[in-house]
């Protein structure tokens, strides 16, 4: 009795108390949990042997099971001794077992790990277990135990069948305690080794060892990567204090740094090192020396080094192997760009899949706010701040929901007007910037052409990058100001608008610069590529200086203003979007520059490295954690997308245009003397002719063939179309499934209502007749043979009826939809009859209460049937569609009711033979259930697509009710 | 701390690696941290149970609003007093690690939020969760009406089968639609 305490569970105070939770858990756990989960380690104690422990656990579990069964079988005894509280006790007992089977069986925490061993492959079991639990909440309590064993065995079996890698993955993904995972793993291993021992041991041993060592090696590599992880501590600190949205910026920075390191290694390794190995001394004219200004302008001395395109030769380096510099230059850059593109596409797609495809459109839903609580925050102050922010946001979301006011037309027009004005203003601003930069470039060119090359002249080249960086810094601030005037209803839309404008600005600026470099510069210089390289170098450097200034002005100054001068503004927040855009812009410069200045990534690495520390210091000194939980994951996706779409694609097309269409300069660089860069490949292929024809064939028939690309495009379009259709199909399916879930939920609640109603009506009956149950059950033994024959006849009658009804049903299913009223009204009639009968019986009951203890069941049944009929009728009116299903469900109800009526009649006919109706009702109920199941099958088999849920679930209801009834009878019988 | 790392023998280490989402470094670090919390005479042993109060002293968990729930969920002690063995501790870190799957994370999140351990998030659970997340002092917490409305909103959003509680699959459904969860359900040692 102590192990199973319903009263406690049903007492809300008990629910809420923290202190009692522990013993409640412990008292409930052994029933359902797998014995292996029971770990019996004392505090500071020694470790118990697993096997011992398991045995111990199962033993204990078994004992408790037994005690429970005892408890279950003697409730009546218990009640007889304590008649005042008997009905209550009984009721609670029942409700705990039947109505709220939920709270004990289905989801009990200890049972959950078993029922929901997740991972895709165990999904099936979970489904089965769940269903079983909800279908038969009061079946043999031992089933959980056995079931657990079974499921574990199944799990082990299924795991054994998998490959080792998959095994590890699956075991790791099981939501169980470590002990259990360990146990399962050991079982799997043992199973495997026993299987293996039957085969030839030599080979398998060997392969096992190899796979083991491979796995170890894999872990080693993973660990090494972990060690190499940059700034782990700093990242943790930032995440702990500022949350994951700010951390996004730093992750992004790190990611870009990795890009640049890779790029630098590739370029340096394949282009620069061979050249340096071949010819160490750069051919610098004697009159050029290092003056210091080069660090800013990139001109002068640097112009003659390997920094730029001009420093490379077109020779084939002859050493141990011939090294064609032209090909190396071309392919290194081409492959780097392609790899970048692939990496970007993959990370973008991955991020989209994770963060966007499934995301909810409602941005402020309460769950989202609650779920985005940052567990990584460790700073006490931040936690407090977060809590209050969250509270504000939750309140906002509440008020938004309640006050969703409709704007009037004039207000709407006004808002649209403001938006339009802002867009026009910002677009014209961006265009104006682009135009001014173009004229500035031209002016600079004229100034340079006019005079001789001097230091002042060189310093003048800094004007364009200075202006560009200034624009990049100031105009976004203006945009933010503009953004404040616009009243966006949606915070997300506001951020997107701001982001879009900034992107537009930068695209215009870069576009103008690229146009200038592509169209004007090549005509003016003999050696134009290094000039573009220099310009890019200057941009990168000045941009860096401005980033530093920006964090000074943007963060430090506003901090000072916020804390000292105008406390109204408060401490600034770290503007993730603006900072990330700066990074994207910087990276785009590096990508464009890769062709003109292969070692630009080195500068970029340095820049990002310093920037990281700078931003970190600036952040921790000046900023406060963000007030709103901006959706970090989605923002990150957008950033990656932006990096890919306008910026990387733009840089790629610029480089591709240069390589395909522009004539390389005549005087310098690896490609001088060629019509365009790509002709390197043509020459190479021409050289290959004769020696390796397949390469030539591939080149001619695939790379240069329009037909190939045409076909490829066609195929891809077809595939895309197919996938698109698939997606549409899935969407429909999701809609259907969702509808089904909702229907099931409705059915469930309906069913619960019914059961509760039954319980209530049951408990209203005075406790008197229950006392009779004891003797009556004893009497049942004597009459067993009589009841047997009786029930046999019953069964036959039922079968005949069933056949008849099935026919009828088939007719109604096959034919045109029969008006629903017919069946409804017949159900109604039935119900009335039932009621009448019940009342009669009730009278009987009052006349001779001693003799008719079972008639109260009849009353119950009749009440239920009546209610059901009424409900059914209501359903009928609710949904006038789906006639067929409704009809069948109604007929199912009728059927069940008729069966019940028959039972009652039977009971009425021979009141002396009390036990027989009990058992016959049992059988009947079984029949009804069977029928319901059959019906369900029938419903599902012919057209599973036409949303057959309602009838299926009503059949389910029937089954559940029947079961409930059976239980009642069963209990009464004892 | 090199000496402590050597106390984890190779087989145990590789087993830990196979059974958790942690890397070798992380396991070693976890071991170091764990044994640093043990009293002197038990240094380095893995089978010792560390009481909840000790665990909660860790800076990573100290200010976490759910810290007690986390300990209770991951503890395998009988009766459950929130104390953790090293393996429980690894389990905790594994579930909160970066590499852990959504499935695992949402499973444990559910159990953490389910403060009465009844397997569904009922109104009381949700209320408790919101209170933990918004602070429980008088002036800061939501008033009764707001709370009721909020809980209604939550249930309306997520309770697909309309049984008045949020069960695991409903919870996972919600989680799958809020992408921030995976990135924020994380504790780094």
């Amino acid at each position: 009795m102590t192990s199973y305490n319903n009263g406690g569970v049903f007492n809300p105070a008990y629910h809420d108390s923290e202190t009692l939770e522990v013993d409640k858990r412990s008292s409930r756990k052994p029933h359902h949990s797998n014995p292996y989960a029971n770990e019996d380690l004392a505090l500071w104690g020694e470790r118990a042997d697993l096997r011992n422990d398991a045995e111990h656990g199962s033993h204990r579990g078994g004992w408790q099971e037994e005690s429970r069964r005892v408890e279950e079988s003697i409730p009546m005894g218990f009640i007889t001794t304590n008649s005042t509280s008997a009905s209550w006790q009984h009721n609670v007992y029942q409700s705990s077992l039947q109505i709220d089977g939920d709270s004990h069986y289905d989801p009990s925490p200890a049972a959950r790990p078993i029922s929901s061993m997740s991972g895709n492959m165990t999904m099936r079991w979970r489904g089965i277990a769940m269903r079983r639990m909800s279908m038969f909440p009061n079946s043999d309590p031992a089933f959980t135990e056995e079931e657990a064993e079974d499921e574990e065995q199944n799990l082990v079996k299924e795991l054994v069948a998998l490959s080792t890698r998959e095994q590890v993955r699956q075991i790791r993904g099981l939501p169980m305690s470590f002990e259990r995972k360990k146990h399962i793993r050991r079982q799997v291993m043992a199973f495997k080794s026993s299987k293996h021992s039957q085969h030839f041991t030599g080979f398998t041993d060997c392969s096992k060892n190899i796979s083991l060592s491979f796995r170890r090696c894999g872990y080693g590599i993973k660990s090494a990567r972990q060690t190499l992880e940059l700034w782990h501590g700093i990242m943790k600190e930032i995440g702990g204090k500022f949350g994951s949205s700010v951390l996004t910026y730093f992750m992004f920075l790190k990611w870009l740094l990795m890009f640049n390191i890779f790029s630098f290694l590739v370029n340096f390794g394949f282009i620069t090192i061979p050249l340096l190995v071949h010819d160490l001394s750069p051919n610098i004219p004697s009159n050029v020396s290092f003056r210091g200004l080069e660090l800013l302008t990139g001109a002068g001395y640097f112009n003659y080094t390997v920094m730029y395109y001009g420093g490379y030769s077109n020779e084939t380096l002859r050493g141990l192997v011939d090294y064609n510099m032209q090909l190396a230059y071309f392919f290194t850059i081409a492959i780097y760009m392609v790899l970048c593109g692939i990496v970007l596409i993959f990370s973008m797609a991955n991020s989209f899949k994770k963060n966007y495809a499934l995301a909810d459109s409602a941005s402020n839903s309460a769950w989202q706010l609650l779920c985005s609580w940052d567990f990584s925050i460790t700073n006490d102050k931040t936690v407090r701040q977060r809590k209050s922010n969250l509270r504000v946001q939750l309140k906002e979301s509440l008020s938004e929901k309640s006050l969703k006011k409709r704007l009037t037309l004039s207000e709407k027009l006004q808002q649209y007007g403001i938006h339009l004005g802002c867009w026009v203003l910002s677009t014209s601003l961006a265009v104006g910037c682009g135009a001014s930069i173009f004229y500035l470039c031209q002016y600079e060119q004229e100034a340079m052409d006019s005079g001789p090359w001097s230091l002042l002249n060189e310093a003048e080249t800094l004007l364009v990058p200075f202006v560009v960086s200034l624009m990049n810094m100031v105009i976004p601030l203006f945009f933010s100001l503009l953004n404040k005037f616009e009243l966006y209803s949606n915070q997300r839309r506001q951020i997107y608008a701001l982001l879009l404008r900034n992107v537009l600005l930068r695209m215009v600026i870069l576009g103008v610069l690229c146009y200038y470099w592509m169209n004007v510069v090549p005509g003016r210089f003999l050696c134009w590529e290094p000039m573009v390289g220099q310009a890019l170098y200057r941009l990168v450097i000045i941009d860096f200086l401005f980033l530093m200034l920006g964090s000074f002005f943007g963060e430090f100054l506003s901090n000072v203003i916020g804390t000292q001068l105008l406390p109204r503004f408060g401490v600034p927040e770290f503007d993730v979007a603006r900072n990330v855009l700066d990074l994207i812009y910087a990276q785009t410069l590096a990508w464009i520059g890769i062709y003109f200045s292969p070692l630009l990534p080195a500068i970029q690495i340095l820049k990002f490295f310093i920037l990281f520390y700078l931003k970190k210091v600036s952040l921790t000194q000046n900023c406060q954690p963000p007030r709103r939980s901006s959706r970090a994951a989605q923002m990150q996706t957008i950033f990656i997308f932006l990096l890919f779409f306008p910026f990387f694609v733009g840089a790629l097309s610029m480089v591709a245009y240069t390589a395909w269409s522009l004539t390389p300069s005549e005087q310098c660089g690896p490609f001088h003397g060629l019509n365009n860069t790509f002709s390197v490949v043509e020459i190479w292929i021409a050289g290959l002719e004769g020696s390796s024809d397949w390469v030539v064939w591939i080149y001619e028939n695939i790379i240069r063939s329009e037909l190939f690309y045409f076909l490829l495009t066609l195929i891809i379009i077809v595939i895309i179309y197919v996938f698109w259709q698939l997606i549409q199909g899935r969407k429909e399916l999701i809609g259907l499934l969702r509808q089904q879930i909702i229907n099931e939920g409705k059915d469930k609640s309906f069913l619960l209502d019914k059961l509760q109603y039954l319980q209530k009506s049951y408990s209203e009956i005075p406790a008197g007749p229950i006392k009779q149950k004891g003797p009556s059950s004893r009497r049942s033994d004597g009459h067993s043979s009589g009841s047997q024959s009786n029930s046999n006849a019953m069964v036959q009658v039922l079968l005949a009826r069933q056949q008849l009804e099935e026919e009828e049903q088939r007719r109604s299913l096959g034919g045109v939809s029969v008006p629903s009223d017919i069946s409804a009204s017949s159900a109604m009639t039935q119900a009335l009859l039932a009621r009448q009968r019940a009342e009669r019986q009730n009278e009987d009951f009052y006349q001779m209460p001693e003799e008719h203890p079972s008639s109260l069941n009849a009353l119950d049944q009749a009440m239920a049937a009546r209610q059901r009929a009424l409900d059914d009728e209501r359903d009928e009116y609710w949904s006038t569609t789906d006639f067929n299903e409704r009809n069948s469900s109604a007929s199912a109800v009728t059927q069940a009711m008729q069966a019940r009526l028959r039972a009652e009649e039977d009971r009425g006919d021979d009141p002396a033979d009390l036990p027989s109706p009990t058992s016959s009702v049992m059988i009947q109920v079984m029949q009804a259930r069977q029928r319901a199941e059959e019906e369900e099958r029938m419903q599902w088999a012919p057209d599973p697509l036409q949303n057959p849920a309602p009838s299926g679930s009503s059949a389910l209801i029937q089954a559940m009710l029947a079961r409930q009834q059976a239980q009642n009878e069963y209990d009464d019988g004892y | 701390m090199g000496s402590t790392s050597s106390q984890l023998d190779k087989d145990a280490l590789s087993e830990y690696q196979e059974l958790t989402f942690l890397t070798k470094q992380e396991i070693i670090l976890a071991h170091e941290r764990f044994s640093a919390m043990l009293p002197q005479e038990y240094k380095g042993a893995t089978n010792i149970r560390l009481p909840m109060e000790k665990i909660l002293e860790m800076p990573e968990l100290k200010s976490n609003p759910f810290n007690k729930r986390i300990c209770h969920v991951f503890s395998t002690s009988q009766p459950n007093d929130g104390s953790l063995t090293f393996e429980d501790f690894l389990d905790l870190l594994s579930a909160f690690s970066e590499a852990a799957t959504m499935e695992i994370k949402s499973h444990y999140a559910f159990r953490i939020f389910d403060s009465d351990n009844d397997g569904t998030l009922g109104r009381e659970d949700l209320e408790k969760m919101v209170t933990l997340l918004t602070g429980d002092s008088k002036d800061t917490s939501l008033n009764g009406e707001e709370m009721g409305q909020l809980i209604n909103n939550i249930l309306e959003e997520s309770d697909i089968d309309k049984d008045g509680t949020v069960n695991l699959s409903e919870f996972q459904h919600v989680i799958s639609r809020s992408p921030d969860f995976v990135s924020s359900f994380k504790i780094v040692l």
Side-chain angles (χ1 to χ4, degrees), chain A residues 471-630:
Chain A
M471 282 174 177
N472 270 336
M473 194 177 90
V474 173
I475 293 186
L477 291 180
F478 179 73
F479 284 164
S480 322
L481 203 69
L482 213 61
N483 209 283
K484 291 230 163 68
F485 288 111
E486 288 178 281
L487 296 168
Y488 278 101
S489 54
N490 189 334
Q491 192 216 358
R492 224 150 49 112
R493 223 184 275 168
Q494 186 176 0
I495 291 174
Y496 286 156
L498 190 63
L499 211 61
L500 211 62
R501 283 171 200 165
N502 282 320
V503 168
L504 188 75
L505 172 75
R506 287 181 164 106
M507 273 176 62
V508 167
I509 290 175
L510 280 175
V512 166
L513 283 173
C514 283
Y515 174 79
Y516 180 74
W517 291 329
M518 300 291 100
N519 290 312
V520 182
V521 175
R524 297 215 178 188
F525 294 95
L526 287 174
C527 202
W528 63 272
E529 285 97 344
M531 287 298 150
V532 176
Q534 280 177 28
L536 281 163
Y537 178 89
R538 284 194 289 270
L539 275 176
V540 169
I541 294 288
I542 301 293
D543 178 59
F544 175 47
L545 295 179
F546 268 84
L547 280 181
M548 295 211 276
L549 276 180
S551 59
F552 176 77
F553 282 112
E555 283 134 30
F556 175 69
L557 269 191
S558 52
N559 181 31
V560 170
I561 290 171
T563 49
Q564 314 285 325
L565 303 173
L566 291 165
R568 184 163 63 88
F569 284 122
V571 184
E573 282 176 33
F574 189 75
D575 189 346
V576 179
R578 190 167 57 83
N579 280 295
V580 167
L581 266 185
D582 285 340
L583 285 184
I584 291 177
Y585 170 73
Q587 185 55 37
T588 314
L589 288 180
W591 272 327
I592 296 175
I594 195 135
Y595 178 80
F596 305 101
S597 168
L599 293 190
L600 205 58
I603 309 289
Q604 195 77 4
I605 291 171
L606 210 66
K607 177 176 163 179
F608 281 164
F609 206 79
I610 295 172
L611 200 63
F612 185 92
Y613 284 100
L614 195 85
K615 285 287 175 192
K616 189 229 150 193
V617 170
S618 166
L619 178 74
T620 44
Q621 297 298 315
N622 300 325
C623 294
Q624 64 167 354
R627 254 176 245 120
R628 295 185 146 271
S629 68
S630 56

Side-chain angles (χ1 to χ4, degrees), chain A residues 798-806 895 927 931 934:
Chain A
L798 269 167
L799 277 171
R801 172 176 283 278
Q802 187 183 340
Q803 255 170 9
L804 198 93
E805 271 162 4
E806 257 169 23
Q895 228 171 312
Q927 290 277 341
R931 221 173 320 152
E934 253 171 39

Side-chain angles (χ1 to χ4, degrees), chain B residues 37 46 51 55 72-73 95 100 149:
Chain B
M37 285 185 283
T46 52
I55 299 279
H72 278 294
V73 164
Q149 204 184 345

Side-chain angles (χ1 to χ4, degrees), chain A residues 370 373 384 386-392 394, chain B residues 65 127-137 140-142 147 150:
Chain A
L370 295 177
W373 176 265
R384 246 176 293 134
R386 270 286 158 114
K387 279 182 178 175
S388 61
N389 288 343
L390 187 65
R391 196 181 56 250
V392 171
L394 284 175
Chain B
E127 235 165 80
K128 222 175 225 178
M129 171 184 163
V130 173
T131 314
L132 281 178
L133 280 176
T134 55
D136 39 11
S137 59
T140 57
S141 58
L142 301 166
M147 182 67 90
L150 181 66

Side-chain angles (χ1 to χ4, degrees), chain A residues 15-16 18 21-22 24-26 28-29 37-47 102-103 107-109 112-113 116 118-119 123 126 168 171-179 181-182 185-186 215-216 219 222-224 226-227 232 236 244 251 354-355 358-360 365-368 370-380 383 387 390-391 394-395 397-398 401-402 630-634 738 741-742 745-746 748-749, chain B residues 11 14-21 23-26 33 38-39 42 46-51 59-60 63-66 69-70 72 76-80 83 85 87 90-91 96 98 103-104 107-108 110-111 113 115-121 124 126 128-130 132-135 140-142 146 149-150 153-154 157-158 160-163 166 168 171-181 183-189:
Chain A
H15 254 274
D16 288 335
E18 281 277 355
E21 184 184 284
V22 173
K24 188 172 73 189
R25 271 189 70 141
S26 68
R28 282 164 53 182
K29 208 162 181 173
N38 300 338
E39 195 187 8
D40 212 12
L41 296 183
L43 192 63
W44 308 114
E46 64 281 272
R47 176 194 206 142
D102 257 312
S103 64
S108 99
R112 186 156 291 277
S116 65
S118 56
M123 221 53 141
R126 169 158 62 174
V168 170
I171 295 179
R172 197 183 284 163
L174 294 173
M176 304 174 190
S177 74
F178 197 89
E179 280 295 324
K181 280 196 275 188
K182 208 151 117 186
R185 180 168 170 263
R186 289 208 176 137
R215 239 178 319 146
R216 290 254 161 90
Y219 291 139
K222 221 164 111 190
S223 308
Q226 178 88 21
T227 327
H232 173 77
K236 190 186 155 194
S244 49
M251 306 259 268
K354 264 202 304 218
N355 303 331
L358 295 164
D360 211 344
S365 65
W367 259 123
Q368 245 151 25
L370 295 177
C371 285
S372 52
W373 176 265
D374 227 327
F375 280 78
S376 56
I377 291 180
T378 54
N379 188 306
D380 220 8
V383 169
K387 279 182 178 175
L390 187 65
R391 196 181 56 250
L394 284 175
K395 279 184 181 172
S397 79
L398 284 181
K401 261 201 187 123
S402 55
S630 56
R631 321 180 75 195
Q634 281 199 20
R738 179 178 283 272
I741 291 173
I742 292 169
K746 273 186 196 153
K748 195 169 152 193
S749 60
Chain B
D11 286 337
S14 74
E15 190 177 50
Y16 291 151
Q17 263 174 285
E18 278 196 18
L19 291 180
T20 63
F21 291 99
T23 61
K24 195 170 155 193
Q25 254 69 28
E26 285 167 327
R33 292 290 298 274
L38 291 174
Y42 294 109
T46 52
N47 51 358
I48 305 293
R49 211 164 254 293
L50 204 57
E60 282 82 3
S63 40
N64 193 316
F66 291 107
R69 281 298 307 157
I70 292 175
H72 278 294
T76 51
S77 63
Q78 295 285 341
N80 194 335
S83 60
T85 60
E87 287 175 353
L90 277 186
D91 236 4
F96 277 101
E98 197 135 356
E103 184 98 35
I104 288 281
H107 174 90
Y108 281 112
F110 184 81
R111 284 178 62 188
F113 294 154
S115 19
D116 56 7
N117 297 316
D118 67 350
T120 53
L121 298 182
E124 294 89 28
L126 291 172
K128 222 175 225 178
M129 171 184 163
V130 173
L132 281 178
L133 280 176
T134 55
T140 57
S141 58
L142 301 166
E146 284 171 330
Q149 204 184 345
L150 181 66
N153 284 354
I154 289 175
E157 245 175 71
S158 53
I160 301 169
D161 62 7
K162 303 287 173 221
D163 62 352
V166 181
L168 180 64
F171 181 73
Q172 282 178 334
H173 180 71
V174 166
I175 289 290
S176 71
R177 287 152 71 91
S178 59
D180 281 330
F181 170 75
S183 57
S184 56
F185 195 75
K186 203 160 63 179
I187 291 177
V188 187
L189 210 59

Side-chain angles (χ1 to χ4, degrees), chain A residues 194-202 204:
Chain A
S194 72
K195 233 165 99 184
H196 271 297
S197 62
Q198 293 162 4
H199 299 295
F200 307 108
T201 45
T204 42

Side-chain angles (χ1 to χ4, degrees), chain A residues 261-370:
Chain A
I261 288 175
F262 172 69
S263 151
F264 173 72
L265 288 179
V266 167
N267 284 358
F268 195 71
F270 290 104
I271 306 177
T272 314
I273 285 184
L275 190 78
L276 289 180
V277 165
H278 183 249
D279 179 17
L280 258 181
S281 59
N283 43 352
I284 298 164
S286 52
N287 60 341
V288 176
S289 61
F290 187 75
R291 285 167 306 177
L293 191 62
E294 284 94 338
L295 282 179
L296 276 183
T297 64
Y301 177 83
F302 277 171
N303 210 3
Y304 302 97
T305 60
V306 289
M307 185 79 206
Y308 300 119
Y309 171 89
Y312 297 87
S313 72
N314 65 347
E315 298 160 34
T316 301
L317 310 177
R318 305 209 177 275
L320 290 171
V321 284
D322 289 354
Y323 196 82
N324 189 336
M325 212 44 218
Q326 286 183 333
L327 280 179
Y329 199 96
F330 181 82
F331 278 120
T332 306
I333 292 191
I335 287 171
Y336 168 68
M337 286 310 247
V338 169
L339 280 181
C340 270
I342 289 172
V343 168
L344 278 175
I345 286 173
F346 269 95
S347 41
M348 191 171 68
N350 200 14
S351 185
F352 255 108
K353 189 183 82 187
K354 264 202 304 218
N355 303 331
Y356 242 83
L358 295 164
D360 211 344
S361 54
S363 61
N364 249 356
S365 65
W367 259 123
Q368 245 151 25
L369 293 172
L370 295 177

Side-chain angles (χ1 to χ4, degrees), chain A residues 16 64 98 256 548 942:
Chain A
D16 288 335
Q64 238 132 14
Q98 287 154 15
L256 286 182
M548 295 211 276

